[in-house]
Amino acid sequence: MPEETVPGEMTAIDPAGLSGPENYRLLTGCVVPRPIAWVTSVAGDGTANLAPFSAFTMVSNDPPMVGINIGRRDGGFKDTARNIAERGEYVVNIPGWELWRDVHRSGEVHPPEVDEAALLGLATVPADVVGVPRLAAARVSLECRLARVVEFGRAGAQFTVGEVVRFHVLSSALDGLKIDTTAIDPASRLAGPTYARLGGIERVEGAAAPGPARAASPRDA
């Protein structure tokens, strides 16, 4: 191996000998940066809830689906998980960089009857399809209906998958169906109480934009 490709001395760590919190610390330092799903949900009594989740990804394009991992707190369900299970719908909002401090504050523990968006002075507007409000300040919001919940690990973390039934995207960030990520200016999560903004962006000239693999046809055989 050429010397210049070696980053430096490496440390091998066996996760089997670590506690859950210790493995969490390593994972959140390795898997970076992470996009943030700022989820609005509504409890059975009508109380709204706002909470951030940085274990968040797209799952399917047909139909469009996204997944968030919702851990447990003291062995019980978090408000977001309970609300989604009860109502079967929620909204994933993508926070812009200017909102990162509010994102962090919304993750603080409050009783179920507290509306974090109202507490932080964040306005909400009605969604088009689901009965859950979206954040007015978000440049992207995804209205979702619950599709599936899968539990992972000894702690019972819930990977929650929802079908996107409506996209809301800042009009000035759209060119047809192409989104200008710099116009969205999303906040992302690093390890611990640290956040990051988009840095340098490089484009491969002449390369086709990646897309989903097409289904095989008889001519491909």
Side-chain angles (χ1 to χ4, degrees):
M1 178 181 294
E3 185 176 350
E4 63 270 19
T5 65
V6 179
E9 183 179 353
M10 305 292 287
T11 298
I13 303 170
D14 182 359
L18 302 179
S19 66
E22 288 171 330
N23 279 315
Y24 176 83
R25 180 176 296 179
L26 283 172
L27 284 169
T28 55
C30 293
V31 186
V32 291
R34 299 186 303 280
I36 299 169
W38 210 7
V39 179
T40 45
S41 63
V42 175
D45 64 0
T47 302
N49 179 268
L50 174 65
F53 299 91
S54 63
F56 165 50
T57 189
M58 59 180 289
V59 175
S60 165
N61 63 287
D62 187 15
M65 305 174 87
V66 293
I68 56 176
N69 198 55
I70 305 176
R72 300 200 182 210
R73 180 177 289 123
D74 299 326
F77 292 117
K78 292 184 177 179
D79 294 341
T80 301
R82 185 170 52 252
N83 294 349
I84 292 174
E86 289 178 356
R87 299 182 70 101
E89 54 188 24
Y90 54 102
V91 178
V92 172
N93 305 278
I94 308 299
W97 175 247
E98 75 282 358
L99 295 168
W100 74 267
R101 289 182 177 84
D102 287 326
V103 170
H104 192 74
R105 295 186 187 110
S106 70
E108 296 174 356
V109 180
H110 294 287
E113 63 270 17
V114 172
D115 179 343
E116 289 84 358
L119 184 68
L120 294 169
L122 298 169
T124 60
V125 293
D128 290 354
V129 180
V130 303
V132 176
R134 60 185 178 88
L135 289 176
R139 298 184 185 92
V140 173
S141 293
L142 312 175
E143 298 185 32
C144 298
R145 286 204 178 106
L146 178 63
R148 184 177 303 177
V149 175
V150 182
E151 288 196 0
F152 287 94
R154 288 184 288 271
Q158 295 185 311
F159 187 64
T160 303
V161 177
E163 179 178 346
V164 179
V165 295
R166 183 73 91 243
F167 292 89
H168 297 271
V169 182
L170 181 69
S171 296
S172 60
L174 276 174
D175 180 5
L177 293 178
K178 182 181 178 181
I179 297 176
D180 179 358
T181 309
T182 59
I184 303 302
D185 194 18
S188 62
R189 188 68 187 267
L190 304 178
T194 57
Y195 295 78
R197 193 176 193 176
L198 287 177
I201 297 175
E202 300 291 341
R203 180 180 178 85
V204 179
E205 297 299 330
R214 66 185 179 89
S217 69
R219 287 178 296 180
D220 296 326

